[in-house]
Each structure stands twice: as structure tokens, then as C-alpha cells.
Amino acid sequence: MGRSAPTAARGKRHLFARHAAVAHRRASRLDPTLHALLWSAASGLLFVLLNSLMRGLSIALDPFQTQFLRYLMGLAVMLPFIARSGFAAYKPHNTLGQFTRGGVHTIGLCIWFTAIPHISIADTTAIGFTGPIFIMLGAVLVFKEPMRWERWLAAGLGFGGVLIVVAPKLTGSGGLYNLVMLASAPVFAASFLMTKALTRYERTEVIVVWQAITVTLFSFPLALLHWQWPSAGQWLLFLLCGLLGSAGHYCLTSSYAAADISATQSVKFLDLVWATLIGWLVFADAPSRSTLIGGLVICGSTIWIARREARGPKG
């Protein structure tokens, strides 16, 4: 009788392993672009959760300190994986490229964190969705990716859905900070295009680790300017931010490695749907009529482009 419990536990683990293997085989048969869209959608959900926490922390603490601690904790949660495989497994092929990408991303973060405590979530959401447009333009100019009409149409419909949602809520009260937030969009687009370039010869986990290392190093001097020691609760929130951020960047980088970067941009408009659902479920913010209509437009465009991409360019 004493051996039955361990035997049962082993049986459950084997059953779970078999189910996981079946799920992995089924996922491996999916079209690469559909794979990329799923990775991108998952990253969007993680980043919406992350940004909700980051906005609150950046109001309570100095924004640059918040930026530093978010990436420091992101690096901390990856240390066990680095220790298990050894640092040599995470040595990049192009160290200069990793630091250059980290520097560009740090500039975008500095701009973003400067604006985020001063403007509304509606304004932030509206301005943030200009990013996919910059990325798609960059993909055409830099990588010569084929920009089929379906991708442009899906991006246009998704952006239209965003405008339906946020236009009634835009107040313009942020003034200059709206323009500051807008300035971060092309900088982040440049960072993500550099990430796409790095995926050609770097593993996803290497890129994510070195992003955490470089942004932490570049952000540290700015964090010292107005340092305030966080409370125990804030340290726990930063640790959660590190987990969400590292997972989000892993999903995002995986999407870039799986397919053309331009093919993943239409699904980013789903972030607004995630934000609406979180506000409804967590904060009891009932979605307005414009939110529901815009959400349907966004979901419809995303489902349509996913089906088109799964069928290929001649579908």
C-alpha cells in the first residue's frame, strides 16, 4: 500500500507527459505564420498585465528607477536557467549587436517612462498602436518582406478598431506628454526590427537574456538620480513584473523567429481586447458600446488575417 501513492504520482506524470507530447506534435504541424501569430497574441496579453503594474509603480516611484528594477528582476528570474545551462550557453554570436539593440530599447523605455505617469491609459493605448505601422514600414524597407495587401488591410482594420474604442475617450489633457509617448513608438519599432535581425543567428533565450542585461546596465545610472528604497510589497510586484516581462519578450521574440515580422503586427491590436477584459474582470470596468464594437472589429480582422496567412499567399 505504501508504494501505491508514488506509483500513482508517476502514472499522472507520464500521462501529463504524453498529453504534452501530443500537443507539441499538433502544434508543430501548424503553419509557421500561424505559430507566429499565436506567440504574438500571447506576448500581448503578458505585456498588458505588465504595463498595468508598471504604470502604478512608476507613479509611486521614480520612473527611471522603475524601469531599472523591472529589468533587474527580469534578469533575476532568468538566473536559474543560466546557472543550469552555464553562461557559455548564453554567449551571443554578436555581442555588439546585443548591446546596440539594448541601447536602442533603453532609449525607447526612457521616453515611455517619462510620459506614462502623466497621460491616461486611453491616450497611451491609442498612441501605442502606432507601433505596428512603423514596424511594418521598417520590415518593407529593411528586410524587404513581402507586404501583401491582406497584411495592410488587417493592420488598417485593426487600427480602425482601436480608433473606434479610444477616440471618444481622448481628452488631450496630457498635452506635451502625448507627443513624448508618440516619440517612443518609432524607437521601439527600431528595437523590434533589430530583434528580428538577431533571430537569424541567435537563439530566442539568448536575445531575451541579453536584453535584460543590457537594459539593466544602461538604466542603472538614471535610477540612481532619484533612488527611493521600495517597500516589501513593491519588491514582490517588481519580481512579478520580471516574470511577466521575460515571458512576454520570449513570446515576442519567438514570433519574430517563426515568420515575417510584418505578418505578426495585425494581431497586436488584440492587446486592446486583453486590456478591456482585464479592466472588466479585475476592476469591474464595464466596457462601453464603442469598446465592444471596436473589439469585434479587432477580433474579426485578426481571425481573418490568421486564416489567410495559414492558407499561404495563394490562398
Side-chain angles (χ1 to χ4, degrees), residues 20-243:
V22 170
H24 183 268
R25 284 197 300 270
R26 290 178 177 175
S28 65
R29 291 195 290 266
L30 292 175
D31 179 83
T33 304
L34 191 56
H35 249 145
L37 290 171
L38 292 173
W39 279 118
S40 185
S43 74
L45 175 58
L46 292 167
F47 283 135
V48 165
L49 292 169
L50 172 65
N51 290 341
S52 299
L53 291 174
M54 293 302 295
R55 188 174 191 274
L57 287 168
S58 66
I59 293 174
L61 298 170
D62 179 72
F64 293 144
Q65 180 186 350
T66 303
Q67 172 183 321
F68 165 72
L69 290 175
R70 172 259 177 274
Y71 276 89
L72 179 65
M73 290 296 102
L75 179 59
V77 300
M78 288 183 282
L79 287 178
F81 300 99
I82 298 174
R84 185 180 63 181
S85 302
F87 187 77
Y90 289 87
K91 184 178 180 180
H93 294 287
N94 185 351
T95 304
L96 178 61
Q98 298 287 353
F99 271 88
T100 303
R101 190 261 167 157
V104 172
H105 201 76
T106 302
I107 293 172
L109 287 168
C110 289
I111 299 171
W112 192 87
F113 273 100
T114 297
I116 190 63
H118 302 283
I119 63 177
S120 69
I121 290 296
D123 289 357
T124 302
T125 303
I127 295 169
F129 278 113
T130 60
I133 306 301
F134 288 112
I135 290 175
M136 293 176 74
L137 291 173
V140 175
L141 297 174
V142 178
F143 298 117
K144 310 300 181 184
E145 290 186 1
M147 281 304 298
R148 301 193 299 271
W149 67 269
E150 298 100 322
R151 294 179 182 178
W152 285 116
L153 180 59
L157 290 173
F159 188 67
V162 171
L163 292 179
I164 291 173
V165 175
V166 302
K169 304 171 186 176
L170 292 175
T171 63
S173 59
L176 178 62
Y177 289 104
N178 284 283
L179 297 177
V180 174
M181 178 64 74
L182 179 60
S184 71
V187 181
F188 282 133
S191 171
F192 295 141
L193 290 167
M194 295 173 72
T195 301
K196 172 63 178 177
L198 289 171
T199 61
R200 293 174 172 176
Y201 48 84
E202 301 279 20
R203 292 181 294 117
T204 298
E205 50 267 38
V206 172
I207 295 174
V208 174
V209 165
W210 277 91
Q211 178 182 351
I213 292 173
T214 54
V215 174
T216 299
L217 291 174
F218 289 137
S219 301
F220 180 61
L222 295 173
L224 293 178
L225 294 177
H226 303 283
W227 182 268
Q228 178 183 347
W229 198 257
S231 66
Q234 288 170 333
W235 278 114
L236 289 175
L237 289 177
F238 277 118
L239 181 60
L240 178 57
C241 286
L243 288 168

